[in-house]
Amino acid sequence: MKKPMADNCSRPNVPVNCQACPIRHLTICQPLQDENLGVVETFKIGDFVLPAGSLLYRQGEPGSRLYNLLDGWVVLHQVLRSGSHQILDFALPGRFLGYRPDLDGPLTHSAECLTDVSVCIFPQQHFHMLIERHPVLAVRLSQVVTQDLEVSYDRLANIGSRSTQAGIAHLLLDLCARLRDGPMSCGQVIEIPLNQNHIADALGCTSAYVSQMLKLLRKQRLLSFGNGQLQILDLKGLAEFADIEAPSADGRQNRRLLTPEISSTTQ
Amino acid sequence: MKKPMADNCSRPNVPVNCQACPIRHLTICQPLQDENLGVVETFKIGDFVLPAGSLLYRQGEPGSRLYNLLDGWVVLHQVLRSGSHQILDFALPGRFLGYRPDLDGPLTHSAECLTDVSVCIFPQQHFHMLIERHPVLAVRLSQVVTQDLEVSYDRLANIGSRSTQAGIAHLLLDLCARLRDGPMSCGQVIEIPLNQNHIADALGCTSAYVSQMLKLLRKQRLLSFGNGQLQILDLKGLAEFADIEAPSADGRQNRRLLTPEISSTTQ
DNA sequence: CGCGATTTTGATCAATGTCAAAGGTGGTGG
DNA sequence: CCACCACCTTTGACATTGATCAAAATCGCG
């Protein structure tokens, strides 16, 4: 049960040269021009590799670092007093981790590496000063956090409103879409380092039930999933099955927005 | 079924004088000094009042405005293709609404006024320019969005890991805590303009079941709730019942944080 | 007093949990 | 190359939560 020590992590092995960062455009550093990369290069602590299973940070602890996830998967989860736990999100490369409104307060969830992971680490001390001095970073931070919020809202709908089968379909589709910006391809093998327990913990159900539902999805030839590999066999069918959001709330006219200037109707 | 027109909303009635804004410290404007309030005063469109039931914005539509919620409650919800829907959050005064990473993209959820509501409206055009010019605003935006994200994570644990009864207890406690910064008082009547349907839609269960669970909570003399009024009778008991997050993941020592400099154990 | 909305209640049923055992499957070391 | 082990997945029997539906009771309000 005991997790590997949280403190083991290799010395920098990825060059601390941000210009060479292969996923710069996905991270919080995206808006920086080549010539401005120096501001994060001098601020950052360095790049590190952590083995699968180690913790980036733990719920309840103060936390002193912020992380650009450069490679690998990280799972965020929360433990309740009763001991039950909930997966909040799967963080993919580009994600910014460890930030909270009050950097002096404790973390409200834990982050555990699902795979070997490489991260670029910032000290959280003076981080607000950094982004205030470089407003494009602050704006970018707002944007990425808002993205995370939208994903979280999707998950809420997933657990709250969708059947478990639809939830599984939606979760897997969402992970695919976030892994590869761009259209999804059928038949292609996609590496998803999750087992049925992870899916169950994310969806708030049991792994036994996930197993049954996956069988259904397989039987309907919508996907195949196992051993960390996902193949989408019928994208359209799967999307339908996943009960995606209504494009527009209902069939109503889509044109007029809220226009407060044009007072009417009520008073 | 038809909602009141989305376009009805009175002309400004709250003074556009931001210095007099009674909840400035809760909003995105919080970091601005008195002498700098001009930057939002000249940017904003104005303050408006909307009647209960009207929509601030609708899922699927482009959206052209951003909102500081000054007074009243707003519910955020998402509709799925199958027609089922999920309440994502209840927005309280101070909340910043309508923002998304790509301001040109459509909104992914709707915002509906639960009560009469007053809002301070910004155009979203040039908003990014505004906060880039005034970095304290951008930093503050990151913070408030991150707060929203943490609330959303709590909700995930609510729906996914808690029993419905515990979920109700947690939801109500959370709303109280967010309404009044500071310690909560027992016995005091708190206005919560929700009915059992809202709670059910937020928790992803049926109102019939909420009714039963509320009966239990009442029977155990933990709270009374009805007619838009909540009374917490036994704060400690309710908190216990609500299965709050574990203060620290487990009993382990809390001192050593991840210290990448101190390489060890693995290589 | 009466109406509409909300809440309560009960009967029944489907979805999902629980538990336990049996089968994979891949990795490791002899 | 085989045997074993840990971990993951599948399966089945059964228990329980929570959904569904409908009717009755209640409440707020005019």
Side-chain angles (χ1 to χ4, degrees), chain B residues 14-30 32 34 37 40-41 44 46-48 67-71 93-95 118-122 140:
Chain B
V14 184
V16 184
N17 171 9
C18 291
Q19 215 149 334
C21 177
I23 59 156
R24 217 167 87 199
H25 62 290
L26 295 177
T27 71
I28 195 184
C29 306
Q30 177 248 20
L32 292 178
D34 281 10
L37 278 178
V40 289
E41 267 175 346
K44 76 195 269 191
D47 293 347
F48 297 87
Y67 307 84
N68 270 325
L69 179 53
L70 301 181
D71 190 42
R95 174 101 179 222
S118 79
V119 286
C120 154
I121 304 190
F122 293 159
R140 172 73 177 160

Side-chain angles (χ1 to χ4, degrees), chain A residues 155-169:
Chain A
R155 290 289 141 71
L156 269 176
N158 231 349
I159 305 186
S161 303
R162 272 180 262 256
S163 69
T164 301
Q165 334 166 29
I168 295 174

Side-chain angles (χ1 to χ4, degrees), chain A residues 2 5-11 48 51 56 58-62 64-65 67 76 78-82 84-86 88-89 95 99-101 108 121 128 131-132 135-136 138-139 141-143 145-150 152-157 159-162 204 240 243-249 252 254 256-267, chain B residues 2 5-11 48 51 55-56 58-62 65 67 76 78-82 84-86 88-89 95 99-101 108 121 128 131-132 135-136 138-139 141-143 145-150 152-157 159-162 204 240 243-249 252 254 256-267:
Chain A
K2 194 101 180 276
M5 287 292 296
D7 307 309
N8 54 357
C9 123
S10 75
R11 301 191 166 280
F48 298 86
L56 276 187
R58 190 179 330 200
Q59 175 180 349
E61 293 190 346
S64 63
R65 286 154 166 60
Y67 308 85
L76 310 183
Q78 196 175 58
V79 179
L80 305 187
R81 265 220 338 237
S82 69
S84 63
H85 59 121
Q86 174 68 37
L88 306 173
D89 202 1
R95 175 99 178 221
Y99 183 71
R100 55 232 119 100
T108 58
I121 304 190
H128 276 148
I131 63 177
E132 206 174 304
V136 286
V139 173
L141 178 58
S142 302
Q143 292 177 314
V145 177
T146 305
Q147 269 167 12
D148 297 340
L149 181 61
E150 304 226 313
S152 181
Y153 281 163
D154 272 2
R155 290 289 141 71
L156 269 176
I159 305 186
S161 303
R162 272 180 262 256
E240 193 152 330
D243 197 6
I244 309 291
E245 297 95 60
S248 179
R252 262 178 302 192
N254 212 28
R256 268 204 295 168
L257 311 179
L258 176 72
T259 53
E261 302 86 332
I262 302 166
S263 186
S264 60
T265 342
T266 16
Q267 22 270 71
Chain B
K2 194 105 180 273
M5 286 294 297
D7 306 310
N8 56 356
C9 123
S10 76
R11 300 188 168 283
F48 297 87
L55 288 174
L56 277 186
R58 191 179 330 204
Q59 175 180 348
E61 293 190 345
R65 284 155 167 61
Y67 307 84
L76 310 183
Q78 196 176 59
V79 179
L80 305 187
R81 264 223 336 239
S82 68
S84 62
H85 59 123
Q86 175 68 37
L88 305 173
D89 201 2
R95 174 101 179 222
Y99 184 71
R100 53 232 121 98
T108 60
I121 304 190
H128 277 149
I131 62 177
E132 205 173 304
V136 286
V139 172
L141 178 59
S142 302
Q143 292 177 314
V145 177
T146 305
Q147 270 167 12
D148 298 340
L149 181 61
E150 304 227 312
S152 181
Y153 281 163
D154 271 3
R155 290 289 141 71
L156 269 176
I159 306 186
S161 302
R162 271 180 262 257
E240 192 152 331
D243 197 6
I244 309 291
E245 296 94 60
S248 180
R252 262 177 300 192
N254 214 27
R256 267 206 295 168
L257 310 179
L258 175 71
T259 54
E261 302 85 333
I262 302 165
S263 188
S264 63
T265 340
T266 17
Q267 23 270 73

